[in-house]
Amino acid sequence: MKLSPLQALWLSLAITVFYPIAGKLAVGHLSPTVLMLFATGIPIICYIPYLTKNKLWSVLFDKKLALHLAGVGFCSSAFPFLCMMIALNYTTPANTSILNQTELLYSLLLTYIFLGERPTKKQLLGTVLILTGVVFILLGANKFTMQLKGDILVISTAWIFQIGHILAKKLPPNLPEHFITAARAFYAFIFTIPLTYLLTFLNIHPYIDFSWQTIVCVLFMGIAFYIYGNYLWYIAIRRMDLSKATALILTYPVFTYIISAITGYDKVTLFKTLGIVFALSGAYLVNSVIKKTKKKEVKLNEISPV
C-alpha cells in the first residue's frame, strides 16, 4: 500500500511518541553515546543488503552528495539527539518533547529563507498555540534546578534538527527515502565516534549495563525509530511543506505526556495539561491547512491540458 505524505507523517508521529520515554528508560543502563552508536549502527547493518543490491555505496560516497549527506547525519541525528539523550538525565520525557516544539520557530524562519515556504495565517496561529505550551512548561520552573538545566539544553539545540531536515529536503528528488534513511544513520554513526571521545571531557563516559531496559531501548531506537520512523518522515517532508510537517509531528508530546505519566516518569500538573490543550488546538489547525493544500493539488492535477 502506497502511503500518502500525511499518512506517513502520522505513522512517524506514532513512533516518535516513544523516543523520549525510551531515552529516559536508558538512563542508568547505557550512556547517551553508547545508545546512539547502537541506534545508528543497527540501521547500517540492516541496510547493507539494500545498498549492495541497488549499487548505492558509490552514491553514499559521491563527491557531490557526501558533504550534504554528512550534514543530514550530523544535524538530524548525531549532535542534537545526543543532546536530547543527555537532557533526559535531568528532565522528564514530557518536558523534553514539549520543549522540543521550539523547533517550530526555527522551522518557520529557516524554511522561509532556504525553501521559500510561505506560512498561512492558520498555520501561524496553530504554531502560536503549540508554542504556548512551551511557555507553560517554563513557567512551572521558578528557580534553576537540574531539571531546568535539561530543559534549557533541549531548547538550545532544537534548531539543529531543522537544519538537518532542510538539507534532506534539498537532496535530489530521485534519491529513494530508504537510501536517505541509511545515509543518515551511516554518517550519524561516524560522527558519534569522535563525539563520544569529546564528551568524556564533560565527564560523560561511555558505559553499558546489559539489562532488559538496555535491550528495549537499543531495539526501539535502532529499528522502530531510526529505520521506520525516519523512513516515514522522509516520505512526508519530501512531498509536503517542511514547516507544516514540523508543526504537525511536534504534537507528539500530547501522547508522550500521557504515557510518561502512566509509567511514573512525569506528574500531571496544570501547566503541562494546559500545554497539551494548546498543542492539540494548534495541531488541528495545521492539519486542516495540510488537507486543504492537498485537495487543491488534486484538483489541479485533475485539470486536463488544453
Side-chain angles (χ1 to χ4, degrees):
M1 182 182 70
K2 188 175 181 181
L3 295 172
S4 71
L6 190 56
Q7 288 173 329
L9 186 60
W10 278 111
L11 288 173
S12 181
L13 184 149
I15 296 172
T16 304
V17 164
F18 293 94
Y19 104 80
I21 297 172
K24 190 67 174 180
L25 186 65
V27 174
H29 297 283
L30 69 167
S31 65
T33 50
V34 173
L35 178 58
M36 275 298 299
L37 288 171
F38 274 113
T40 53
I42 290 174
I44 295 172
I45 295 171
C46 292
Y47 272 117
I48 286 176
Y50 167 79
L51 294 171
T52 304
K53 181 181 178 180
N54 294 282
K55 300 178 180 179
L56 290 171
W57 287 104
S58 58
V59 181
L60 189 64
F61 299 106
D62 183 87
K63 291 181 180 179
K64 294 181 180 179
L65 288 175
L67 189 61
H68 206 128
L69 293 170
V72 173
F74 181 82
C75 295
S76 295
S77 290
F79 186 75
F81 267 111
L82 270 177
C83 290
M84 294 297 166
M85 295 302 104
I86 293 170
L88 281 166
N89 283 269
Y90 307 107
T91 190
T92 67
N95 276 33
T96 300
S97 56
I98 294 172
L99 293 173
N100 198 37
Q101 293 177 61
T102 51
E103 187 182 342
L104 281 169
L105 291 174
Y106 308 120
S107 176
L108 289 175
L109 178 62
L110 295 173
T111 55
Y112 177 82
I113 295 172
F114 295 107
L115 300 178
E117 295 179 3
R118 303 296 192 270
T120 65
K121 291 181 179 179
K122 261 192 177 183
Q123 185 182 347
L124 288 172
L125 178 58
T127 301
V128 170
L129 288 173
I130 293 172
L131 287 173
T132 302
V134 176
V135 176
F136 280 115
I137 294 297
L138 293 177
L139 286 175
N142 54 13
K143 60 182 179 179
F144 187 86
T145 61
M146 293 304 288
Q147 179 170 314
L148 185 56
K149 177 181 177 180
D151 293 345
I152 292 173
L153 181 58
V154 172
I155 294 173
S156 60
T157 56
W159 64 275
I160 303 175
F161 281 116
Q162 200 60 206
I163 297 294
H165 300 332
I166 289 174
L167 289 173
K169 181 90 171 174
K170 293 176 77 67
L171 285 169
N174 61 320
L175 288 180
E177 283 78 17
H178 273 306
F179 171 76
I180 299 172
T181 304
R184 171 176 171 171
F186 177 82
Y187 283 104
F189 181 86
I190 298 299
F191 280 118
T192 302
I193 295 172
L195 286 172
T196 299
Y197 171 72
L198 292 173
L199 284 171
T200 59
F201 292 99
L202 297 177
N203 205 31
I204 300 175
H205 300 279
Y207 66 88
I208 184 169
D209 167 25
F210 290 100
S211 60
W212 71 265
Q213 291 93 337
T214 298
I215 295 171
V216 169
C217 293
V218 165
L219 291 179
F220 172 80
M221 287 295 192
I223 298 175
F225 190 70
Y226 264 88
I227 294 180
Y228 291 104
N230 287 343
Y231 169 65
L232 292 165
W233 171 247
Y234 288 130
I235 288 177
I237 68 168
R238 284 165 64 81
R239 292 169 175 80
M240 65 190 295
D241 282 356
L242 177 58
S243 57
K244 293 186 179 72
T246 300
L248 186 55
I249 201 168
L250 286 180
T251 59
Y252 75 87
V254 176
F255 311 101
T256 300
Y257 177 38
I258 295 171
I259 297 171
S260 187
I262 293 173
T263 54
Y265 285 127
D266 269 289
K267 294 180 179 179
V268 177
T269 67
L270 176 62
F271 285 116
K272 288 182 182 178
T273 304
L274 286 173
I276 294 304
V277 171
F278 279 103
L280 279 174
S281 302
Y284 175 80
L285 287 177
V286 174
N287 192 48
S288 66
V289 171
I290 295 173
K291 285 186 175 180
K292 188 176 180 181
T293 303
K294 185 180 177 183
K295 287 180 181 177
K296 285 183 179 179
E297 289 175 352
V298 171
K299 287 182 180 179
L300 287 172
N301 292 331
E302 290 175 349
I303 298 175
S304 303
V306 179

